Amino acid sequence: MANGSEKDFLRKTAWLGKAPTAFQDAVLARGYLTSFAPGKVLYDIGDQRGGMMGVVSGHASISTVLQDGLPRLSHILRPGDSLDRGAGGFLRRFG
């Protein structure tokens, strides 16, 4: 992860902030910072599972597709929220 201010922010989030410092260091050493344009699908149904995503700025939506085949908004991620990419559904950046 490139920027110290993002690392400091993530260390204070609900999930990572409760972990021991050594675990925080290991997670942040393996992570990377990237940006996405509004509307960009970050993770789609059928994509390879695994890994985590954390929101540093902006927002992202999680939608699931039900039996009728239509997407349904199920959650909005804000700065400080994280997502396990093993979850079903798809993730889109907005705003």
Side-chain angles (χ1 to χ4, degrees):
M1 185 164 296
N3 194 323
S5 65
E6 282 88 1
K7 284 185 179 184
D8 292 341
F9 173 79
L10 290 169
R11 286 182 191 277
K12 296 174 185 169
T13 61
W15 178 76
L16 194 58
K18 294 177 182 176
T21 303
F23 180 80
Q24 292 178 16
D25 292 343
V27 168
L28 295 172
R30 289 171 179 80
Y32 59 93
L33 185 63
T34 190
S35 297
F36 299 97
K40 170 76 175 155
V41 174
L42 311 178
Y43 173 72
D44 207 346
I45 295 170
D47 287 352
Q48 182 177 355
R49 294 181 175 204
M52 292 197 63
M53 294 183 179
V55 178
V56 175
S57 65
H59 296 83
S61 64
I62 300 173
S63 297
T64 56
V65 178
L66 302 180
Q67 291 178 352
D68 62 9
L70 298 174
R72 300 287 197 283
L73 176 66
S74 61
H75 193 73
I76 295 175
L77 299 170
R78 299 173 296 164
D81 291 340
S82 58
L83 169 73
D84 174 358
R85 285 193 41 176
F90 58 92
L91 180 66
R92 179 183 308 269
R93 186 195 186 287
F94 71 95

